[in-house]
């Protein structure tokens, strides 16, 4: 079943031409708004639940998400084999083609040559509007080395790049000068900013970012203050669970509705904190399963399924979101 779906998805995407990829962010795509990095649901026998994945893609787009991210950290990409990664990408590509939505695909590697090969494979997916590429991990190159790495990738990539800046995973912090230099490189479209705080570099970057360079909040808890300071949007795992409300938050800040945005931002920060109480995406998957949206709450080792306490906490916060918010 999953294999057939993968073949269908591949056929659907390869029938489109390179005209689907523009010189900027994709023919119909945009980096504004909320993008959901989809989980990879599994069946009870451990295979990818392709139909559930496709349903999730349509559900978050129905809820107001601007786009989806395939093969992000939330999708347990490190635990998928090549055929499974192709299946996930094909399903997401088909959903985005049908909906005219933005598709971003996780790609890259710590070594530049391996990252080039990873990006080259995206040419098979005309729906891809951007690639999310992590700063090289573990090897800890200099800032100049990071710039050279992304400069080379931008030259050969079939799609624009979003730099994934997450120093607590990569061990490679970047200062604001380096981030601005990255943003000035051709075909570097933006940064997923995930430093674990709203720090001084975030303030400085958002106050003076390169023209056309998008800053996307990557820490769900801090999306509201990042939007308030001018972030273009966010790539948010917890937006699986309250997509409409996250989209509403982005719209409120964009419209200058400060009272509404503050109240909603506080409520969603609490939801996000609860969703990340245990290693991602265990709690999100546990909640999705409790809602009947995916067939199992399973994650792959070394991750473990979420505790009942963590899942219940999120479900309670989701219920509270339906109540009037304090102004």
């Amino acid at each position: 079943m999953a294999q057939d779906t993968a073949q269908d998805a591949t056929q659907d995407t390869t029938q489109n031409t390179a005209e689907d990829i523009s010189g900027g962010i994709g023919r119909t795509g945009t980096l504004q708004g909320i993008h959901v990095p989809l989980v990879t649901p599994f069946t009870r026998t451990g295979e990818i639940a392709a139909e559930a994945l496709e349903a999730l893609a349509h559900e978050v787009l129905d809820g107001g998400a601007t786009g989806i991210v395939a093969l992000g950290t939330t999708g347990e990409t490190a635990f998928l084999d090549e055929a499974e990664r192709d299946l996930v990408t094909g399903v997401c590509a088909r959903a985005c083609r049908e909906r005219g939505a933005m598709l971003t695909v996780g790609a890259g590697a710590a070594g530049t040559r391996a990252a080039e090969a990873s990006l080259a494979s995206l040419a098979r997916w005309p729906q891809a509007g951007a690639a999310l590429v992590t700063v090289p991990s573990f090897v800890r190159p200099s800032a100049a080395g990071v710039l050279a790495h992304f400069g080379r990738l931008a030259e050969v990539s079939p799609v624009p790049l979003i730099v994934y800046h997450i120093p607590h995973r990569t061990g490679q912090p970047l200062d604001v000068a380096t981030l601005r230099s990255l943003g000035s490189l051709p075909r570097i479209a933006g940064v997923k900013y995930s430093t674990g705080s709203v720090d001084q570099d975030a303030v400085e970057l958002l106050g003076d970012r390169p023209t056309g360079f998008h800053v996307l909040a990557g820490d769900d808890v801090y999306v509201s203050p990042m939007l308030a300071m001018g972030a273009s949007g966010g790539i948010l795992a917890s937006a699986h669970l309250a997509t409409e409300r996250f989209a509403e938050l982005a719209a409120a800040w964009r419209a200058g509705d400060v009272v509404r945005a503050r109240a909603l931002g506080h409520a969603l920060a609490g939801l996000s904190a609860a969703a990340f109480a245990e290693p991602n995406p265990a709690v999100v998957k546990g909640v999705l399963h409790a809602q009947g949206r995916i067939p199992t709450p399973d994650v792959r080792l070394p991750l473990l399924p979420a505790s009942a306490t963590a899942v219940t906490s999120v479900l309670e916060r989701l219920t509270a979101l339906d109540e009037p918010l304090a102004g």
Side-chain angles (χ1 to χ4, degrees), residues 246-273:
F246 279 99
E248 183 182 348
L249 175 68
W253 280 120
R254 192 163 54 246
D257 187 350
V258 175
V259 173
R260 179 63 178 167
R262 281 178 178 165
L264 189 51
H266 284 303
L268 290 174
L271 172 69
S272 294

Side-chain angles (χ1 to χ4, degrees), residues 210-310:
T211 301
F213 184 64
H214 295 272
V215 178
L216 298 164
D219 292 309
D220 300 34
V221 172
Y222 302 116
V223 63
S224 188
M226 291 289 285
L227 289 168
M229 291 191 298
S232 298
I235 298 176
L236 311 172
S238 50
H240 281 86
L241 309 177
T243 313
E244 297 90 345
R245 290 306 185 98
F246 279 99
E248 183 182 348
L249 175 68
W253 280 120
R254 192 163 54 246
D257 187 350
V258 175
V259 173
R260 179 63 178 167
R262 281 178 178 165
L264 189 51
H266 284 303
L268 290 174
L271 172 69
S272 294
F276 283 83
E278 296 176 11
N280 186 52
V283 180
V284 172
K285 283 186 136 182
V287 175
L288 291 171
H289 177 249
Q291 294 173 328
R293 297 169 64 190
I294 60 176
T296 72
D298 297 348
V299 289
R300 286 184 175 171
L301 286 170
L303 297 178
L304 296 173
S307 66
T309 299

Side-chain angles (χ1 to χ4, degrees), residues 112-268:
T112 305
R113 291 179 66 182
E116 289 179 24
S118 176
L119 286 165
S121 69
L122 297 185
R124 293 177 294 159
W125 312 106
Q127 278 66 46
L132 180 64
V133 182
T134 307
V135 171
S137 60
F138 194 77
V139 293
R140 294 175 61 84
S142 65
V146 172
L147 286 170
H149 173 80
F150 278 102
R152 174 59 183 163
L153 297 185
E155 289 178 357
V156 302
S157 174
V159 295
L161 307 182
I162 301 170
V163 177
Y164 190 0
H165 178 37
I166 185 165
H168 69 274
R169 289 186 184 271
T170 65
Q172 181 64 56
L174 302 176
D175 61 21
V176 68
T178 303
L179 291 169
R180 285 199 184 111
S181 295
L182 285 168
S184 299
L185 292 174
R187 291 177 65 74
I188 301 289
V191 59
K192 180 182 178 184
Y193 198 89
S194 305
T195 64
S197 67
V198 181
D199 55 17
Q200 182 63 31
D201 284 339
V203 174
E204 293 185 19
L205 179 62
L206 285 163
D208 183 20
R209 55 181 167 173
T211 301
F213 184 64
H214 295 272
V215 178
L216 298 164
D219 292 309
D220 300 34
V221 172
Y222 302 116
V223 63
S224 188
M226 291 289 285
L227 289 168
M229 291 191 298
S232 298
I235 298 176
L236 311 172
S238 50
H240 281 86
L241 309 177
T243 313
E244 297 90 345
R245 290 306 185 98
F246 279 99
E248 183 182 348
L249 175 68
W253 280 120
R254 192 163 54 246
D257 187 350
V258 175
V259 173
R260 179 63 178 167
R262 281 178 178 165
L264 189 51
H266 284 303
L268 290 174

